[in-house]
Amino acid sequence: MAQLLTSPPPPQAAELRRWELADPADLRTLRASLHEALTGERLLDGQRMDEVPELIVLVATELATNALKHGIPPTIVRLLAVDDSLILDVADHDLSSIPELADTRPMGAGGRGLQIAMAVSLKVGWYATDRTKNIWASFPRR
């Protein structure tokens, strides 16, 4: 299995949107708002997204769920843009642990968010600041 990059996203990446999540109930709002930020349209119940926005929303949900479950709130989700890429950056406030790929767990045991991110994005990395642990994933702009 590939390893996570240990670097922040490109420093010239511009923040497009930011969300702060306190608990899992905030994930539904994140998904709808992120879709709207990516496409300019509200996502109606049962509506299907285009491929890239759908993958970004999937990874955002997986990484934010991990942060809410294993990190210290609040979870901060940022959508960044640089050149021809969109970058999703998810942070929590638990500096006592580092991200681990769950490649040895049996299927169905959970912990596959990073693997999903690595499978559907261009790059995945992580870094820490003095207050947060961040995981990011990059995607092509349509």
Side-chain angles (χ1 to χ4, degrees), residues 17 29 45 48 69 74 78 100 108 112 123 127:
R17 290 285 305 270
T29 301
D45 284 341
R48 188 153 166 76
K69 188 183 266 188
R78 298 185 310 142
E100 291 185 49
R112 302 274 182 220
K123 293 180 187 174
Y127 64 102

Side-chain angles (χ1 to χ4, degrees), residues 8-136:
Q12 70 272 26
E15 184 175 304
L16 302 176
R17 290 285 305 270
R18 173 188 291 253
W19 297 267
E20 192 169 301
L21 291 70
D23 60 58
D26 295 332
L27 291 168
R28 182 179 177 139
T29 301
L30 169 67
R31 286 190 292 269
S33 181
L34 180 55
H35 174 268
E36 189 170 1
L38 293 166
T39 66
E41 300 174 6
R42 285 188 60 214
L43 182 63
L44 304 174
D45 284 341
Q47 182 181 6
R48 188 153 166 76
M49 296 181 256
D50 292 332
E51 182 179 10
V52 171
E54 183 172 1
L55 294 176
I56 294 172
V57 170
L58 170 66
V59 171
T61 302
E62 290 291 331
L63 297 181
T65 298
N66 285 350
L68 288 166
K69 188 183 266 188
H70 304 293
I72 297 172
T75 295
I76 300 165
V77 179
R78 298 185 310 142
L79 178 64
L80 311 169
V82 63
D83 300 326
D84 58 352
S85 297
L86 292 170
I87 300 169
L88 184 69
D89 186 292
V90 179
D92 71 65
H93 293 80
D94 180 8
L95 295 172
S96 68
S97 65
I98 63 171
E100 291 185 49
L101 292 169
D103 56 354
T104 59
R105 292 184 190 170
M107 291 303 287
R112 302 274 182 220
L114 284 173
Q115 288 181 333
I116 290 169
M118 292 182 78
V120 302
S121 63
L122 298 173
K123 293 180 187 174
V124 177
W126 82 278
Y127 64 102
T129 69
D130 58 338
R131 295 179 11 201
T132 62
K133 172 182 64 216
N134 300 57
I135 299 176
W136 60 269

